[in-house]
Amino acid sequence: MKITCDSCRTIYQVADDRVPPGGARANCPSCGHQIVIPGGKSRSGKSSSFLTEKSQADFGQTISYDFQQLDQDSAEISALLRKVSQEDPYLKEGVQYELEDTKTGEVSRISSPGIVLGRSEADINVNDPEVSRKHCLVRIYGDYLVVIDQDSTNGTFYMGKRVMTAKLAFGDTFTIGNTTFLAIARRDT
């Protein structure tokens, strides 16, 4: 299959049978940006080599690609992102939205329907070395929220699965790095 890096637009050829069935991510050899690769035919989960169309060199001989297997089907990712892109995120009046760190009990109030969680340069900074600078995006749609991984190094997890995106009800938890958050929506009193 052909894969295009969203950042530098370099096109790569990936051997379908070498990509894990649940899909994977790998760093672009040209710019370092992470590329999402749809699920392959193999169940081995082994690394694949990229072949650039600009060269006949097999970069897989000199560069190791350790794919990070996703536990989510690319069709599921696309369907959820397509659905939420048709609606603007919003906060309901009279409702206070929060994320609670389940280990420390620290509560972060959410005052915008779209926020970034990360180690730094984020709307909510998470003091966790396993969290990327801009780890994930959280969008609130009144009665539910959607978490979207932002090409983080260590992934975003929901219900024990590594996901690119997930729809959560309030009262659900999700994990980034070593930090688990409880999503809370409560009526203002």
Side-chain angles (χ1 to χ4, degrees), residues 26-37:
N27 290 331
C28 173
S30 295
C31 70
H33 182 79
Q34 284 198 340
I35 302 170
V36 175
I37 303 166

Side-chain angles (χ1 to χ4, degrees), residues 94-145:
V95 176
Q96 178 58 55
Y97 298 94
E98 302 170 335
L99 292 176
E100 180 181 331
D101 182 328
T102 60
K103 277 187 198 167
T104 66
E106 183 179 333
V107 175
S108 298
R109 289 185 151 222
I110 300 172
S111 57
S112 171
I115 60 165
V116 174
L117 300 178
R119 194 177 64 245
S120 63
E121 303 175 27
D123 299 309
I124 296 178
N125 290 319
V126 181
N127 187 16
D128 180 342
E130 298 299 315
V131 170
S132 295
R133 285 183 308 121
K134 293 183 179 180
H135 197 100
C136 68
L137 175 65
V138 175
R139 288 189 176 159
I140 298 175
Y141 294 88
D143 295 322
Y144 68 93
L145 62 120

Side-chain angles (χ1 to χ4, degrees), residues 68-177:
Q68 301 168 5
Q69 186 166 350
L70 297 173
D71 295 323
Q72 190 174 34
D73 181 89
S74 59
E76 179 185 351
I77 295 168
S78 296
L80 180 55
L81 291 176
R82 191 171 29 259
K83 181 180 183 240
V84 298
S85 71
Q86 296 171 358
E87 183 180 351
D88 289 330
Y90 66 96
L91 303 177
K92 281 186 166 181
E93 278 201 43
V95 176
Q96 178 58 55
Y97 298 94
E98 302 170 335
L99 292 176
E100 180 181 331
D101 182 328
T102 60
K103 277 187 198 167
T104 66
E106 183 179 333
V107 175
S108 298
R109 289 185 151 222
I110 300 172
S111 57
S112 171
I115 60 165
V116 174
L117 300 178
R119 194 177 64 245
S120 63
E121 303 175 27
D123 299 309
I124 296 178
N125 290 319
V126 181
N127 187 16
D128 180 342
E130 298 299 315
V131 170
S132 295
R133 285 183 308 121
K134 293 183 179 180
H135 197 100
C136 68
L137 175 65
V138 175
R139 288 189 176 159
I140 298 175
Y141 294 88
D143 295 322
Y144 68 93
L145 62 120
V146 173
V147 176
I148 304 168
D149 188 85
Q150 298 294 289
D151 295 326
S152 67
T153 301
N154 294 316
T156 299
F157 294 83
Y158 175 62
M159 297 182 72
K161 295 181 177 181
R162 185 177 184 144
V163 296
M164 285 299 296
T165 187
K167 179 180 175 181
L168 286 74
F170 289 99
D172 286 351
T173 61
F174 66 97
T175 302
I176 61 174

